[in-house]
Amino acid sequence: MTSTETPVDNGVNTEFLLTARDMLTAQPEGAQFTWRVTNTWVKGTHSRTSVDGFFGLGAEQKHRADYQFDGDHPELFAAEDNGPTPVEMLLVSLASCLTAGVAAVAQNREIQLKSVAATLEGDMDVRGILGADPEVRNGFNRIKVTYKIDADASPEDIRALVAQSQKRSAVYDIVTNPVNVVVEVN
Amino acid sequence: MTSTETPVDNGVNTEFLLTARDMLTAQPEGAQFTWRVTNTWVKGTHSRTSVDGFFGLGAEQKHRADYQFDGDHPELFAAEDNGPTPVEMLLVSLASCLTAGVAAVAQNREIQLKSVAATLEGDMDVRGILGADPEVRNGFNRIKVTYKIDADASPEDIRALVAQSQKRSAVYDIVTNPVNVVVEVN
């Protein structure tokens, strides 16, 4: 690199993240986060979920806004399609996690991103959720993620970038490995 | 029941769902769905995901609208908080799946729902995603779902309702069991 080159800027503050890593290594109790949403049934398969705050760094934290999301089933299932299906929402979650990771890792590796686009496809046999066949699982049989990335880097380095994002992704971990879910009724 | 009683109506067409189950048992190729989202990086950890169509019943299907979602990291992580975090989005997905199931199962069991509310909490040690400790997982350590349901049914029947929703939930399956995720870079 020459000194006249424009510094790599993907809009991620990696210095802060590295400082946070050191800080939380020294004080692991601050690293205990609780993410939280509240959901209210509207009618039929339509419900609304609110995301406004979480617990982290030892204190309650607020988002800049109260984010609200409608979820529903499609008209194909005789529902009203007031929002995406829950399984599409899961793909939204995985997409935003992997892409945020691509940007953060690129910044850390001094790779300038120009564009990043991804398509995520989840294959599902809906006989599972309909209870038509106990041998068919309810969820996705598999998810395929396809990235198209334009960046100042070799194809090899771009592939390594995506691989590192997978390695550090919270949602990729949740989807590919089991998570314990406890359900209570009050 | 007496003939003057109001029929149970939670807004779910369970007759259709039972017909669909019979139809797809006879023609399993129609049950092969592919759910799809497209994601575009905006800047930093901010990306936007679009949900507009899917493949099912042997044909391309369209949603009533092109649903768009911003995802980002919070200001706490030196990001701009242009939307919920990916892990909160995953809780949104799980919430909308379980609540749709509660409504569908209630309809099938002739239980009139009056209100359904849920709080979902996901505990996470963020040292995982920061790469501070290889022994700490990236995703949630556990998710706790707490339902509060007002319905014309006994507490026992309400608990059974929620248990059946878990049993048939696509997202509950995806989160509690492993899913194969294939990532390609073009």
Side-chain angles (χ1 to χ4, degrees):
Chain A
M1 264 204 212
T2 68
S3 58
T4 54
E5 227 172 302
T6 312
V8 167
D9 183 10
N10 296 314
V12 181
N13 188 337
T14 44
E15 274 179 41
F16 172 86
L17 294 174
L18 296 173
T19 305
R21 181 166 74 184
D22 293 342
M23 191 189 82
L24 295 174
T25 302
Q27 301 186 311
E29 61 281 10
Q32 309 311 312
F33 276 55
T34 299
W35 304 96
R36 192 192 310 123
V37 308
T38 54
N39 171 270
T40 309
W41 177 59
V42 180
K43 188 191 154 220
T45 50
H46 177 204
S47 71
R48 190 164 293 135
T49 309
S50 170
V51 184
D52 70 345
F54 56 91
F55 180 87
L57 301 187
E60 271 300 309
Q61 309 287 346
K62 276 279 168 199
H63 275 293
R64 284 206 303 152
D66 177 2
Y67 301 117
Q68 303 245 353
F69 303 98
D70 288 291
D72 203 352
H73 286 182
E75 292 177 317
L76 200 69
F77 291 163
E80 291 183 356
D81 194 359
N82 290 295
T85 62
V87 292
E88 289 167 319
M89 221 49 178
L90 188 129
L91 295 178
V92 169
S93 158
L94 179 59
S96 66
C97 199
L98 289 173
T99 296
V102 165
V105 176
Q107 186 64 38
N108 200 36
R109 296 187 176 182
E110 298 192 347
I111 295 172
Q112 182 62 52
L113 297 175
K114 293 172 183 169
S115 69
V116 181
T119 302
L120 285 81
E121 294 177 307
D123 294 331
M124 181 183 293
D125 185 334
V126 299
R127 288 180 300 165
I129 51 172
L130 288 169
D133 185 342
E135 296 298 309
V136 176
R137 75 177 290 181
N138 298 324
F140 292 129
N141 291 315
R142 79 156 194 168
I143 297 172
K144 187 180 172 188
V145 182
T146 311
Y147 268 100
K148 205 178 153 128
I149 296 176
D150 185 10
D152 284 334
S154 68
E156 212 165 45
D157 286 347
I158 292 174
R159 278 195 299 275
L161 190 62
V162 173
Q164 181 63 18
S165 171
Q166 284 175 254
K167 194 180 163 190
R168 286 271 69 86
S169 165
V171 177
Y172 183 83
D173 172 29
I174 293 166
V175 172
T176 57
N177 297 301
V179 175
N180 178 28
V181 181
V182 178
V183 182
E184 284 182 8
V185 185
N186 282 345
Chain B
M1 265 204 212
T2 68
S3 58
T4 55
E5 226 172 303
T6 312
V8 167
D9 184 8
N10 296 314
V12 182
N13 188 337
T14 45
E15 273 178 40
F16 172 86
L17 293 174
L18 296 172
T19 304
R21 179 166 77 184
D22 292 344
M23 192 189 81
L24 295 174
T25 301
Q27 300 186 312
E29 61 280 10
Q32 309 310 312
F33 276 56
T34 299
W35 304 97
R36 192 192 309 122
V37 307
T38 54
N39 172 270
T40 310
W41 176 59
V42 180
K43 189 192 153 217
T45 50
H46 179 202
S47 71
R48 189 166 292 134
T49 309
S50 171
V51 185
D52 69 344
F54 56 92
F55 180 87
L57 301 186
E60 272 299 309
Q61 309 288 345
K62 277 277 168 199
H63 275 292
R64 285 206 303 154
D66 178 1
Y67 300 118
Q68 305 245 352
F69 302 99
D70 288 292
D72 203 351
H73 286 182
E75 292 178 318
L76 199 67
F77 291 163
E80 289 184 357
D81 193 359
N82 290 295
T85 61
V87 292
E88 289 167 318
M89 221 49 177
L90 187 132
L91 295 178
V92 170
S93 159
L94 180 59
S96 67
C97 200
L98 288 174
T99 295
V102 164
V105 176
Q107 186 65 37
N108 201 37
R109 295 186 177 183
E110 299 193 345
I111 294 172
Q112 181 63 53
L113 296 175
K114 293 172 185 169
S115 69
V116 180
T119 302
L120 284 80
E121 294 177 306
D123 295 330
M124 181 183 292
D125 184 334
V126 299
R127 288 179 301 165
I129 51 172
L130 289 168
D133 185 343
E135 297 296 311
V136 175
R137 74 178 290 181
N138 297 325
F140 292 128
N141 290 316
R142 79 155 195 170
I143 296 173
K144 187 179 171 189
V145 182
T146 311
Y147 268 101
K148 204 177 155 141
I149 296 176
D150 185 10
D152 285 335
S154 67
E156 210 164 47
D157 286 348
I158 292 174
R159 279 196 298 275
L161 190 63
V162 174
Q164 181 63 16
S165 172
Q166 284 173 255
K167 193 179 165 192
R168 286 270 71 83
S169 164
V171 178
Y172 183 83
D173 172 28
I174 293 165
V175 172
T176 57
N177 297 301
V179 175
N180 179 28
V181 181
V182 178
V183 182
E184 285 182 8
V185 184
N186 281 345

